[in-house]
Amino acid sequence: MSAPAVEGSAAAAFRSVLTRVHQAAERSGRSPEQVRVVAVSKTKPASLLRQVYDAGHRCFGENYVQEIVEKAPQLPVDIEWHFIGNLQRNKVKSLLAGVPNLHMIESVDDVKDNFPERKVGFLQTKIANHVDRVVASLGRKPLKVLVQVNTSGEESKFGVDPSGCVNLVRHVKLGCPNLIFSGLMTIGMLDYSSTPENFKTLSNCRAEVCKELEIPEEQCELSMGMSADFEQAIEMGSTNVRIGSTIFGVRESKKKDE
Ligand SMILES: *Cc1c(COP(=O)(O)O)cnc(C)c1O
């Protein structure tokens, strides 16, 4: 519950973020239209999102399935939702059925081998395959996805290892007819201590993927950059920045973020 004084501030903060995005794009000789802003609204009430919507914005990001499924119906249908959180198999159907205006899943990765009991037949559990099947079974049109890459090497972080990137992208492109491979996404080191290296790694992954699979680079987005580092991300080629707290204010429970 936000205090009444907070009302109105999200729209103002959003406008100032847009200005900074435009300036960063221009500084690096890019057009501001090449950079999408995903307003990351997790934990924030629909009323705050509405402010930013009323300021003209249509792209919002959430990372908990239950939350997006509750919020989306309270807001206009022309919102383009991005799902940016870790996606568990058993939640895919609720997400896709509950959010008809879901525009993109940014966080497709490989199932991590943190379930030692699942050893054989493991490839069949790929999250991409599951999303692909559910899209088809619901009769939805093909869905845009990004492949999440773990550029920081942190154990707990989700995302495919950079060395497995080409294989997973190939799999999505060739083996998942109901998914539209649209690019790569990374979170990077949580304390931002190696942000430039993480962004560079993602950009190298794109170069490799595009070369190996003969994809024009313009057709492979880079989703990188959050509140603390989005300007740097844009200067390093980001096409999709995910900005939460700078627009909506700090979130209450830090723990839920990771
Ligand atoms: C929460 C979150 C963001 C936004 O973080 P801020 O630092 O608040 O801008 C971006 N990307 C992902 C994947 C997130 O979970």
Side-chain angles (χ1 to χ4, degrees):
M1 300 298 110
S2 41
V6 173
E7 297 294 312
S9 64
F14 166 70
R15 287 203 188 85
S16 109
V17 160
L18 270 196
T19 307
R20 288 169 62 191
V21 164
H22 287 203
Q23 287 166 347
E26 272 158 18
R27 265 201 306 280
S28 40
R30 305 178 59 209
S31 148
E33 288 80 60
Q34 293 174 317
V35 187
R36 182 191 305 109
V37 173
V38 181
V40 177
S41 44
K42 61 188 177 206
T43 79
K44 299 298 179 181
S47 59
L48 269 193
L49 280 73
R50 185 75 213 202
Q51 268 188 36
V52 175
Y53 177 90
D54 289 341
H57 199 56
R58 294 294 178 268
C59 180
F60 293 83
E62 291 280 341
N63 63 344
Y64 309 112
V65 171
Q66 198 186 333
E67 189 178 350
I68 189 174
V69 163
E70 281 167 19
K71 259 184 212 171
Q74 303 173 44
L75 286 152
V77 293
D78 64 341
I79 286 182
E80 297 191 336
W81 292 101
H82 284 220
F83 187 77
I84 62 174
N86 175 244
L87 188 53
Q88 291 161 308
R89 260 177 81 85
N90 60 358
K91 303 260 175 71
V92 169
K93 193 161 179 202
S94 342
L95 175 66
L96 295 182
V99 190
N101 49 334
L102 183 72
H103 186 70
M104 186 185 273
I105 295 178
E106 295 203 11
S107 36
V108 167
D109 61 3
D110 250 334
V111 176
K112 273 282 158 58
D113 208 354
N114 50 4
F115 302 100
E117 69 276 14
R118 286 196 274 170
K119 281 197 190 88
V120 190
F122 195 64
L123 284 179
Q124 275 77 41
T125 69
K126 270 193 173 149
I127 194 81
N129 293 29
H130 192 61
V131 177
D132 183 62
R133 276 195 297 271
V134 176
V135 168
S137 75
L138 292 172
R140 285 187 59 128
K141 64 177 204 290
L143 182 67
K144 291 186 175 176
V145 298
L146 305 182
V147 162
Q148 181 172 356
V149 183
N150 179 353
T151 57
S152 62
E154 286 168 294
E155 267 300 310
S156 64
K157 196 65 69 57
F158 297 106
V160 66
D161 188 83
S163 65
C165 201
V166 169
N167 275 341
L168 182 55
V169 173
R170 182 185 290 117
H171 176 75
V172 170
K173 279 190 73 78
L174 302 180
C176 302
N178 302 291
L179 305 184
I180 302 171
F181 169 73
S182 305
L184 306 174
M185 177 270 216
T186 196
I187 297 182
M189 202 72 137
L190 282 179
D191 61 2
Y192 302 109
S193 59
S194 46
T195 290
E197 290 89 335
N198 298 158
F199 291 169
K200 187 78 183 94
T201 300
L202 195 69
S203 152
N204 290 344
C205 286
R206 174 169 70 177
E208 199 189 340
V209 161
C210 289
K211 179 166 172 276
E212 292 289 324
L213 306 176
E214 299 179 359
I215 304 169
E217 288 212 351
E218 316 80 70
Q219 287 173 26
C220 186
E221 295 211 30
L222 291 181
S223 173
M224 58 190 198
M226 321 204 293
S227 283
D229 54 15
F230 69 87
E231 285 153 310
Q232 190 174 14
I234 292 167
E235 287 166 16
M236 295 183 69
S238 176
T239 64
N240 189 84
V241 289
R242 309 176 308 264
I243 306 179
S245 46
T246 300
I247 297 173
F248 294 107
V250 291
R251 289 175 297 271
E252 277 177 9
S253 76
K254 185 75 188 84
K255 185 169 107 268
K256 281 180 82 187
D257 282 7
E258 275 104 51

